[in-house]
Amino acid sequence: MTLAEVARAAGVSASTVSRILNGTANVSAEKREVVERTLTRLNYRPNVLARGLASGRTMSVGVLTQDISSPFYGDTLRGLEQGLARSGYHPVVISGHWRAQEEMEAIDFLVTRRVDGMAVLGGVAPDERLREVAGQVPLVALGRSVPGLEAQCLRLDNHSGAYAATRHLIDLGHRAIAHIAGVPSHRDAQDRLSGYRAALEDAGLPFDPDLVLEGDFLEQSGFLAATRLIEGRRMFTAIFAANDQMAYGARLALYRRGLRVPEDVSLVGFDDLPGSIYTTPPLTTVRQPTYEMGVAAAACVLGLLRGEPPELPPLGVELIVRESTARRRL
Amino acid sequence: MTLAEVARAAGVSASTVSRILNGTANVSAEKREVVERTLTRLNYRPNVLARGLASGRTMSVGVLTQDISSPFYGDTLRGLEQGLARSGYHPVVISGHWRAQEEMEAIDFLVTRRVDGMAVLGGVAPDERLREVAGQVPLVALGRSVPGLEAQCLRLDNHSGAYAATRHLIDLGHRAIAHIAGVPSHRDAQDRLSGYRAALEDAGLPFDPDLVLEGDFLEQSGFLAATRLIEGRRMFTAIFAANDQMAYGARLALYRRGLRVPEDVSLVGFDDLPGSIYTTPPLTTVRQPTYEMGVAAAACVLGLLRGEPPELPPLGVELIVRESTARRRL
DNA sequence: TTGTACGCGTTATCAA
DNA sequence: TTGATAACGCGTACAA
C-alpha cells in the first residue's frame, strides 16, 4: 500500500495525500475527508525509509547505552522512552559495553541510520568523536562531560554523594571506613574516591591507603575486595562501596565470614539500584535520579530539535538511609 | 558523501562502486583498488535509508522486549546482540511493557521500520497479530507459544522447573511448602503452579490452597505474600516463589520478622537472575538459559532469513542449589 | 567487465 | 488549493 495508490484510489494527486499526512498545507475539507477515508480503508502505512530519504528526517533518536542488561542505565532508558513518548520521535537503542571500539561502531550505526538526535549514556568513546557527532545532530551526554559540549552534558555530583555517604558513616561513630573504589580511569570512580577522602579529611580522620581497594563496578570485585579487607590486618567497621553492585558483592563476603550487617559492619553503596530496597538488610546508598535524567535528556534533545538552546536541569544526588548502616558498636 | 560522488572521484560509474560495496559482481582488480582507496579516503558511509528503499532490506532485526530495564530479559537481549553480531544484521529493540496496546504499537513501529526479521520476547500481544507479522517477515517468539507458529516458538519447561524446585524442598524434608504464584492469566505462572502441585501430589503431600498466594512477579508482591503467610495460621517451613524477584521480596519479609533463611525457612526462586548469586544467602533457584535463548533466537531468525526452515534447539531448565535451602529442622 | 537507465516511496519545489 | 515534476541515494536489470 503506497501513497501513490492511495492517491489514485481517492482520485487526488500524491502531493495532496502527502500534505494531509503531514499537515504541510491547506487542503479543502472535502478532499481531506475522501483521502482520510481511503487512508483508513486501505490501511495505509507510510514507508519510513522513503520518508526519511525524501525529508532528511527519520523521527528517531539514537541512544547509546553501555549494557542493555545492566541495571544501572535501565531506569534512564525508561525515562528516555517516556520523555520521547508522544513526541513523534522514537528511541533507537544500542549498546557499547564500555569498549571504545564498540561504542564507535555503535555511534556509526546510529549516524548512518540517520537518527535526528542522539543521547549518549556514559561510555568511553573519545570526546573528539562526540564533538564531531554533536556537530551533525543534536546530542546530549549523560554521565560524562565532554569539553566544549558542557551545556549538553548532564553529570551528577558524585563527589557530594560520596561525601554524604562517608559523612553518614562518620556521624554514626565509624572511624575505620574502608572504600571499595571503581576503576581508577573512570571519572565517576575518581570523584567518589575524592568525596570519600574529603569527608575523612574534614572530620580530621586519617586517610589509610590500605583501606582503599580497587574494584571494577561489578559484584565479583566487591566480593574480592571485601574478602581481602577481612583477611587483611587493618581493622574496619564500615565499608563505602563506589556502587551498589560492588556493595552486593561485599555483602556476600561479609555473610560468608559471619560478619553481620549492620551490627558488625556498616555498608553503604552508590546508585540506589532497584534491587537495593530488597537486599537483606535493605542497602543504605546514594540515589541518583536516573529516571529523571532520562526524562531530562529526552526533553533536551527534543528542544535542540526545535532549535532551542540546550537546557538540562540541575539534578542532585541524595543519601538514602536504609538498614545496612548503624551506630558503631564497642 | 554519496556513492555517486565516490564514483565520480574514482572515475568510474556508480554501479561499479555499488558492486564493489556489495560484492554483487566481478570487478577488475585495478578499478576495485582505485575505488576502495577513494572509499576510505572520502570516508564514505552508505545511506541505510536509500539502501533499504532500493533493496527492500534494512539489515535489521526488530526485537520486541517487555521492559528494557527488567533484569529478566536482559541476558536474552545480550544473547540476541551476540548472536546477531558479525552477521551484518543489527537489532532494533523496543519495549511493550506487557501491555497489549503498547506491544501492538511497537510491532507496528518495527514493521514500518521495515525490519527484515523479528524476535518477540514474551508479552501479551494477540497471537493473531503475531501470525500476521510472521507472514510478512521471519519471526521467532521466546517465552510464548503461538498456535500455528510452534516451530518458531521457544518456550521453556516451566512445569519441570517448578517440579524440580518443589521436589528439592520435599527431598530436604519439608512438608509444608508455600507457593507464591505469578499472575494467574500468565501461562508461565500457570505452569509453575502446576509443577508445584504435581510434585506435591507425587510425594503424597496434600495441596493446601491456603499455602498458595498470588503475586505479580514483582518484589513487592513477594513481600506482601510472605508477610501474609507469616501472619497466617498455617505453618510452613519452605517457600517456592514463581520467580526470583518475588523471592527477593519474600526474603525481606522473612528478615523483617526475624526468620532466618535457610535455618527457619527455605526459599527457592525461579529464573536465576544475575543478582541471585549475591543475595544473602545466595538463592536456590531454577535457571533458565536466557542468554542461550537469545543466541538461539538470533540463529533461528538468521536461518529463516537465509530461507532455511526454523530451527530452535531444545533448552532445558536447571535447578541451581545454593544456600537458601536446607534440610528441615525440628 | 562496465555503464546507462530506471525504480524504490516519499517530500519539496514550482507552476497553475 | 492542487498537481506535475524533480529530487533523495542506492540497487539492479539491461545493454554494451
Side-chain angles (χ1 to χ4, degrees):
Chain A
M1 195 41 42
T2 74
L3 187 149
E5 291 170 322
V6 173
R8 199 171 327 125
V12 300
S13 77
S15 327
T16 303
V17 179
S18 175
R19 281 192 267 264
I20 293 177
L21 251 23
N22 302 293
T24 312
N26 284 341
V27 176
S28 70
E30 36 187 351
K31 296 218 169 192
R32 148 162 285 127
E33 197 184 342
V34 182
V35 170
E36 281 178 343
R37 245 204 317 273
T38 40
L39 235 29
T40 56
R41 180 165 60 83
L42 269 43
N43 188 30
Y44 167 77
R45 303 270 167 224
N47 182 319
V48 210
L49 301 176
R51 197 173 256 194
L53 186 57
S55 71
R57 282 169 304 123
T58 57
M59 301 308 285
S60 63
V61 172
V63 179
L64 171 60
T65 183
Q66 292 312 319
D67 198 341
I68 211 160
S69 73
S70 147
F72 183 61
Y73 286 117
D75 270 342
T76 307
L77 287 176
R78 270 190 39 239
L80 268 162
E81 267 182 0
Q82 200 55 41
L84 248 33
R86 320 242 141 264
S87 73
Y89 288 89
H90 285 271
V92 174
V93 11
I94 181 160
S95 38
H97 300 116
W98 294 105
R99 285 194 282 273
Q101 180 59 26
E102 244 179 283
E103 287 181 45
M104 297 285 272
E105 284 168 18
I107 291 175
D108 281 352
F109 172 80
L110 294 174
V111 169
T112 61
R113 233 68 185 177
R114 296 293 193 275
V115 293
D116 297 328
M118 210 150 134
V120 175
L121 276 44
V124 294
D127 291 341
E128 181 50 32
R129 182 77 184 107
L130 293 188
R131 278 191 291 266
E132 274 176 35
V133 174
Q136 303 180 32
V137 298
L139 177 150
V140 5
L142 258 45
R144 60 180 292 172
S145 68
V146 184
L149 246 50
E150 286 81 3
Q152 304 160 49
C153 293
L154 183 55
R155 286 196 69 241
L156 291 175
D157 198 342
N158 287 293
H159 182 91
S160 303
Y163 187 98
T166 311
R167 178 75 214 187
H168 168 64
L169 292 169
I170 295 170
D171 288 344
L172 287 172
H174 295 279
R175 291 296 170 264
I177 302 171
H179 178 52
I180 304 179
V183 275
S185 63
H186 199 297
R187 177 67 188 278
D188 291 344
Q190 295 164 10
D191 291 353
R192 291 173 197 183
L193 175 57
S194 77
Y196 160 80
R197 291 191 65 154
L200 292 182
E201 195 167 321
D202 288 357
L205 293 174
F207 171 77
D208 180 352
D210 284 350
L211 283 180
V212 176
L213 283 87
E214 183 180 314
D216 65 1
F217 285 134
L218 296 179
E219 288 87 348
Q220 173 70 3
S221 73
F223 181 87
L224 256 41
T227 303
R228 282 212 303 280
L229 232 27
I230 298 167
E231 290 172 348
R233 62 194 64 164
R234 284 287 190 287
M235 196 278 291
F236 66 95
T237 63
I239 299 178
F240 164 45
N243 76 347
D244 281 3
Q245 285 173 271
M246 293 195 295
Y248 298 164
R251 171 75 187 94
L252 181 58
L254 294 167
Y255 174 77
R256 278 280 153 66
R257 300 306 175 117
L259 291 169
R260 293 164 304 167
V261 173
E263 293 82 354
D264 301 318
V265 176
S266 281
L267 182 61
V268 182
F270 204 114
D271 285 348
D272 192 23
L273 297 188
S276 295
I277 316 178
Y278 289 99
T279 54
T280 39
L283 187 67
T284 293
T285 184
V286 179
R287 169 168 149 70
Q288 304 202 42
T290 48
Y291 179 82
E292 291 78 2
M293 286 170 64
V295 174
C300 182
V301 170
L302 253 24
L304 288 168
L305 247 14
R306 280 190 302 264
E308 302 166 7
E311 195 168 342
L312 287 166
L315 294 172
V317 296
E318 180 190 2
L319 180 71
I320 306 285
V321 179
R322 297 209 180 90
E323 301 161 42
S324 67
T325 47
R327 180 150 291 281
R328 172 182 161 213
R329 305 274 174 96
L330 51 107
Chain B
M1 194 42 41
T2 75
L3 188 150
E5 290 171 323
V6 173
R8 201 173 323 128
V12 299
S13 78
S15 339
T16 303
V17 179
S18 174
R19 281 191 266 264
I20 292 178
L21 251 22
N22 301 294
T24 312
N26 284 340
V27 176
S28 71
E30 35 187 353
K31 296 216 169 193
R32 148 162 285 127
E33 198 184 343
V34 182
V35 170
E36 282 179 343
R37 244 204 316 274
T38 38
L39 236 27
T40 56
R41 181 166 60 82
L42 268 43
N43 188 31
Y44 169 77
R45 302 273 168 221
N47 182 320
V48 210
L49 301 175
R51 196 174 258 195
L53 187 57
S55 70
R57 284 170 304 122
T58 57
M59 301 308 285
S60 62
V61 173
V63 180
L64 171 59
T65 182
Q66 293 311 321
D67 198 341
I68 212 161
S69 73
S70 147
F72 182 62
Y73 286 118
D75 269 342
T76 307
L77 287 176
R78 269 190 42 237
L80 268 162
E81 268 182 358
Q82 198 56 40
L84 249 32
R86 321 240 139 268
S87 73
Y89 287 89
H90 286 272
V92 174
V93 9
I94 181 160
S95 38
H97 300 115
W98 295 104
R99 285 195 281 272
Q101 180 59 27
E102 244 179 284
E103 288 181 44
M104 297 285 271
E105 285 169 17
I107 291 175
D108 280 352
F109 173 79
L110 295 174
V111 169
T112 60
R113 233 67 184 178
R114 296 292 194 276
V115 293
D116 298 327
M118 210 149 133
V120 175
L121 276 45
V124 293
D127 290 341
E128 181 49 32
R129 182 77 183 108
L130 293 188
R131 278 191 290 268
E132 275 176 33
V133 174
Q136 303 180 32
V137 298
L139 176 150
V140 4
L142 258 46
R144 59 181 291 172
S145 69
V146 183
L149 247 49
E150 286 80 3
Q152 305 160 48
C153 294
L154 184 55
R155 286 197 70 241
L156 291 175
D157 199 342
N158 287 293
H159 182 92
S160 302
Y163 188 98
T166 312
R167 177 77 216 185
H168 167 64
L169 291 170
I170 294 170
D171 289 344
L172 287 172
H174 295 280
R175 292 295 170 264
I177 301 171
H179 178 51
I180 304 179
V183 274
S185 64
H186 199 297
R187 177 67 189 277
D188 290 344
Q190 296 164 8
D191 291 353
R192 291 173 197 181
L193 174 57
S194 77
Y196 160 79
R197 293 191 65 152
L200 291 182
E201 194 166 321
D202 287 358
L205 293 173
F207 171 77
D208 181 351
D210 285 350
L211 283 181
V212 175
L213 282 87
E214 183 180 313
D216 64 0
F217 285 134
L218 296 180
E219 288 88 348
Q220 173 70 2
S221 72
F223 181 86
L224 255 41
T227 303
R228 282 212 302 279
L229 231 28
I230 298 167
E231 290 173 347
R233 61 194 66 164
R234 285 288 190 287
M235 196 276 293
F236 66 95
T237 63
I239 299 177
F240 165 44
N243 77 348
D244 281 4
Q245 284 173 271
M246 293 194 295
Y248 299 164
R251 171 74 187 94
L252 181 57
L254 294 167
Y255 173 77
R256 279 281 154 66
R257 301 307 174 115
L259 291 170
R260 294 165 304 168
V261 174
E263 292 82 354
D264 301 320
V265 176
S266 281
L267 182 62
V268 182
F270 204 114
D271 286 348
D272 192 22
L273 296 188
S276 295
I277 316 179
Y278 289 98
T279 54
T280 39
L283 188 67
T284 293
T285 185
V286 179
R287 170 167 147 71
Q288 303 202 44
T290 48
Y291 179 82
E292 290 78 1
M293 286 170 64
V295 174
C300 183
V301 170
L302 255 22
L304 287 168
L305 248 14
R306 282 189 301 263
E308 302 165 7
E311 196 169 342
L312 287 167
L315 293 172
V317 296
E318 181 190 1
L319 179 71
I320 307 285
V321 179
R322 297 210 179 92
E323 301 161 42
S324 67
T325 47
R327 181 151 289 281
R328 172 181 161 216
R329 304 274 173 96
L330 53 105

